[in-house]
Amino acid sequence: MLKFAALLYAVSVVFSDGFSLKPPKKANFDIKQVAASAFAVTALAVGIATAPTEVFASQITTFDAVPSTVVAVTETRQGVYGDYTVDTQEQKYDDAESTFKTKKQTKSKKGKYTALLAVLIMGSFIIPMGQYFWYVRDDDSSDRFFDKEPKTPVKPPKKKGFFGK
C-alpha cells in the first residue's frame, strides 16, 4: 500500500501544472503554483497511505459497510392536528447557569456608570449648541431683526447705458 502511495505521489508531482517535461528555454514554472500542487498531492498521498486496510473502495458494496455516526433520533409525537415526527438531538447550547452579576457587584459600580451617562447626555446637548453659536458669532442678522429703527435700504447707483451714457 505504501509503495502505491509513493508511486501515486511521484506521478502526480511530475504531471502537475507546476512542472513541464519539455526542456525549458527559461524557467517556466510558478513557485506558488508548484507549492500548491505539491501540497495537494502530499495531502492525497497521506490520505491514501493512512487509510484503514480493512475498508477499500472495491470491498464496499453498500453503504452499510461504511461507518456512520448517529446525528439525530427520529421520534413520533402527537399534536393537535395529528401525529408528526421530530428529529431529537442532544441539547448543546442551552445552559441554565446564571451569568448575571450579583446585586452587590452591580450596586458598587452604579455611580460610575450614572456619571458617565450624565456626561454623555449633557454633551449631546451642549456640544451642538456650542457649534451653533460658534458658526453664527459673526452673523448680525438677529441684531438687524431686533433693531428698533428700520433702516432705509440703500439704493444702488443707476447703471449707465450700453455705451456709458
Side-chain angles (χ1 to χ4, degrees), residues 9 12 18 22-23 48 52 59 66 69 73 82-83 108 118 127 130 139 156 163:
Y9 179 72
S12 300
K22 300 174 191 172
I48 291 172
Q59 294 175 348
V66 178
T69 305
V73 177
D83 294 342
S108 68
I127 292 171
D139 189 16
F163 293 107

Side-chain angles (χ1 to χ4, degrees), residues 51-103:
T53 56
E54 64 270 359
V55 180
F56 290 103
S58 61
Q59 294 175 348
I60 297 175
T61 56
T62 64
F63 288 107
D64 296 334
V66 178
S68 63
T69 305
V70 176
V71 177
V73 177
T74 304
E75 188 177 297
T76 303
R77 296 183 182 174
Q78 283 187 333
V80 176
Y81 300 109
D83 294 342
Y84 59 94
T85 58
V86 178
D87 292 336
T88 57
Q89 297 177 348
E90 183 180 331
Q91 192 171 3
K92 297 178 184 177
Y93 301 110
D94 192 14
D95 187 9
E97 182 181 347
S98 175
T99 57
F100 294 111
K101 292 184 179 181
T102 63
K103 184 177 181 180

